[in-house]
Amino acid sequence: MPEVSIIIVNFKGWNRLAKCLDSLAAISDKQLSFEVIIVDNASNDGMLENFQFKYTHFHFIPNTGNNGFANGCNFGAKFAKGEYLLFLNPDTVIEVEAIIGMLTKVRKSKPNSIVSCKQIKEDGSEEKPYGKFLTPSTLTGWLRAINLILSRPEIGVVENNEFSSPDWVSGSVVLISKESYSNIGGWDEDFWMYFEDVDLCLRAREAGGDVILLKNVTVEHNHGGSSRINTHVTTLTKTEVNISRHVYTSKHVRGVKGFYMQTFLMLNNLITGLLPAVLGILFFFIKRMIVGPMIYFSLIKYYFNALQHRTWISPRSVRYRNQFPRSGSFG
């Protein structure tokens, strides 16, 4: 039985996935007992067969559709045999020392803990794979910028030179024991993409676990491999960032505070998105400009559906489609 199952969810990000799998293929069984599971979210471009032929020692599992990140992670976990699960983005490059470093830490951690690590881009610049939970003061980018100006850092308590403990870590690199993954209920499939990692970390903390970001362990992460393929996919993913804030708030914030946050998010999205939408219509002949109105109209449709069905769940999620099969296609 492998010690760790590495689960990767892919959607048409083949070039960067190849680099990721090459880095994993360089790890020998003598260094680490592991398996690699790649869930393809219905790329439907003929590339899956090529990768299956090239990487014969890895497991490729086609999903039933582009069902989102959380669904893909849970789907892959069903086939995992390892004691530990490492959820890894397809646009990462990882070395065995990084995996062993995270494994060493998670073994020493409390049950239901999540371990991640420092992430850098290909050019060596550092990513920011962590943050604070959503509050009225961290709902949007411009509110977080005000926090920085007021010298209120987003990272949590720094324990020592080895690691820090932010509220949440990015789903691009998440290591958790299979038992803990089961204890906290896995990834929440009400999220199609984004904020499912924030939700997972919050539930891990509520179950008594820690969220740990190792400072002396590094993974290369070239962000955006599957989310910037074309104008349509860019619109989908940027829209979903806004939708997922609503999903997260509906699950974890109640009462007057929750009502305020939902209302603020909706008004912020409609007001700040209006100018890009208008400019995109006026300059429709510039391809990148059309993203503005596409996002705006997608959000209006989302808000209409939310009022109609009385749910903030992402309309692209499998759960939404099962619950409201007659709602039609979304995006």
Side-chain angles (χ1 to χ4, degrees):
M1 184 178 71
E3 184 174 13
V4 58
S5 297
I6 301 171
I7 300 169
I8 302 169
V9 179
N10 172 68
F11 177 71
K12 296 186 177 182
W14 301 108
N15 290 335
R16 289 182 175 174
L17 176 63
K19 293 182 179 180
C20 179
L21 297 185
D22 286 342
S23 70
L24 292 170
I27 302 173
S28 72
D29 293 335
K30 294 180 180 180
Q31 294 174 298
L32 178 71
S33 173
F34 72 106
E35 65 176 351
V36 179
I37 299 169
I38 302 98
V39 175
D40 183 58
N41 270 355
S43 294
N44 296 330
D45 53 8
M47 291 297 295
L48 176 59
E49 293 78 9
N50 295 339
F51 271 65
Q52 288 175 315
F53 179 79
K54 181 178 180 181
Y55 301 98
T56 55
H57 49 304
F58 295 159
H59 308 292
F60 290 84
I61 304 171
N63 207 344
T64 57
N66 188 9
N67 298 333
F69 180 75
N71 173 271
C73 287
N74 287 338
F75 188 47
K78 292 179 181 178
F79 299 88
K81 300 175 182 176
E83 182 182 357
Y84 295 92
L85 306 177
L86 173 58
F87 297 96
L88 197 64
N89 268 21
D91 49 11
T92 57
V93 176
I94 192 166
E95 297 180 351
V96 66
E97 290 80 9
I99 301 175
I100 292 174
M102 289 188 286
L103 277 172
T104 301
K105 186 62 181 177
V106 78
R107 289 193 198 104
K108 299 177 181 178
S109 301
K110 293 186 290 187
N112 305 322
S113 291
I114 288 173
V115 173
S116 188
C117 66
K118 178 180 177 181
Q119 297 178 29
I120 60 171
K121 298 178 184 178
E122 192 173 15
D123 61 8
S125 58
E126 191 168 338
E127 291 259 309
K128 186 189 173 188
Y130 57 82
K132 289 187 69 67
F133 294 133
L134 282 185
T135 66
S137 63
T138 61
L139 277 175
T140 64
W142 61 268
L143 285 174
R144 291 193 297 273
I146 292 175
N147 276 333
L148 289 176
I149 293 172
L150 297 176
S151 299
R152 292 188 290 198
E154 291 194 22
I155 195 164
V157 177
V158 175
E159 303 294 345
N160 52 44
N161 292 329
E162 178 195 354
F163 66 89
S164 58
S165 57
D167 282 352
W168 60 267
V169 292
S170 169
S172 51
V173 182
V174 164
L175 179 66
I176 186 171
S177 74
K178 193 172 186 179
E179 182 179 1
S180 296
Y181 164 86
S182 178
N183 288 344
I184 65 177
W187 299 83
D188 190 333
E189 297 184 21
D190 287 352
F191 298 88
W192 183 75
M193 191 174 183
Y194 302 113
F195 283 89
E196 64 282 291
D197 44 12
V198 186
D199 169 83
L200 186 76
C201 289
L202 178 57
R203 287 186 285 116
R205 286 188 175 279
E206 289 176 340
D210 291 323
V211 176
I212 299 165
L213 181 74
L214 295 178
K215 297 180 177 181
N216 55 1
V217 173
T218 302
V219 169
E220 181 183 314
H221 181 206
N222 298 296
H223 185 70
S226 296
S227 60
R228 301 292 183 266
I229 296 169
N230 53 45
T231 300
H232 176 69
V233 173
T234 299
T235 300
L236 281 178
T237 54
K238 287 190 174 183
T239 301
E240 205 65 25
V241 172
N242 295 308
I243 289 175
S244 291
R245 288 192 182 97
H246 285 292
V247 179
Y248 176 89
T249 301
S250 71
K251 290 178 174 293
H252 300 295
V253 188
R254 299 286 184 266
V256 175
K257 184 178 178 181
F259 177 79
Y260 164 77
M261 290 173 66
Q262 297 286 29
T263 304
F264 180 91
L265 282 171
M266 184 165 60
L267 292 175
N268 177 78
N269 292 336
L270 293 176
I271 294 171
T272 62
L274 183 59
L275 180 59
V278 172
L279 291 176
I281 293 172
L282 293 175
F283 297 96
F284 65 92
F285 48 86
I286 302 176
K287 188 175 181 179
R288 61 185 176 86
M289 294 291 288
I290 199 65
V291 171
M294 290 173 68
I295 293 173
Y296 198 77
F297 294 134
S298 292
L299 283 172
I300 290 176
K301 184 177 181 180
Y302 167 70
Y303 291 133
F304 176 79
N305 284 344
L307 289 171
Q308 182 183 16
H309 298 302
R310 297 184 179 181
T311 180
W312 294 102
I313 297 174
S314 170
R316 295 187 181 90
S317 70
V318 174
R319 288 181 183 173
Y320 185 97
R321 297 200 300 268
N322 290 339
Q323 190 174 354
F324 306 107
R326 297 182 181 181
S327 62
S329 175
F330 192 90

